[in-house]
Amino acid sequence: MTATSDPGAARLASPDLLRSVFRRHAAGVAVITARGRGGPVGFTATSLASVSAEPPMLSFAVGTGSSSWPAIATGDHVGVHVLGEHQQELAAIFARSGADRFGPATAWREGPEGVPVLDDVPAWMVCKVAARVPAGDHRIVVAEVLLGDPTGHGRPLLYHQGRFSGLRD
């Protein structure tokens, strides 16, 4: 067996170590939306994961300090949008603190259960929140898929090494 790195270079666990390791992990990019008391809310997520096929369930992580957390913490439904490589700016808008996420640059409509649904995405789903699991400064939200549309166009948007990019052939 060949070692791939120097064990002496290992660092103790820290937020910086975790961020550094996950910068090397390419992840799909999604935007999570919800209806908040003051209007629609949303954020960019790279933590989207399939949880169960029967019933169809997924999960994502949300920081408890995020501006979207109060709506996610109390709401019953969320929108989950898989972004395409043509949507790097949209991903950046939803990732930026203080941005006007549902302003003129964002095409969206009110969808089922009042959830904001983004236009022109490769796929979207509306889900019912099933659980909010404490995980440090985040919560893991588990949600059951109620309906969706996987027929949009575009190749997936990825997040790697701290930036958005697309697949290479």
Side-chain angles (χ1 to χ4, degrees), residues 1-5 7:
M1 186 165 145
T2 304
T4 58
S5 64

Side-chain angles (χ1 to χ4, degrees), residues 48-107:
L48 182 63
S50 172
V51 172
S52 168
E54 189 57 45
M57 298 181 89
L58 56 81
S59 70
F60 60 87
V62 57
T64 56
S66 80
S67 60
S68 298
W69 171 241
I72 303 291
T74 60
D76 291 331
H77 296 88
V78 294
V80 177
H81 308 82
V82 175
L83 298 191
E85 64 185 358
H86 63 287
Q87 296 176 303
Q88 290 185 25
E89 184 54 36
L90 183 66
I93 288 170
F94 276 84
R96 195 173 309 123
S97 181
D100 185 5
R101 295 174 178 156
F102 290 90
T106 303

Side-chain angles (χ1 to χ4, degrees), residues 11 14-28 46-48 158-163:
R11 303 184 322 206
S14 70
D16 182 55
L17 173 65
L18 186 68
R19 282 189 289 272
S20 294
V21 169
F22 273 89
R23 279 188 194 104
R24 295 181 172 270
H25 172 72
T46 56
S47 58
L48 182 63
L158 300 178
Y159 189 72
H160 182 250
Q161 295 287 33
R163 61 183 181 185

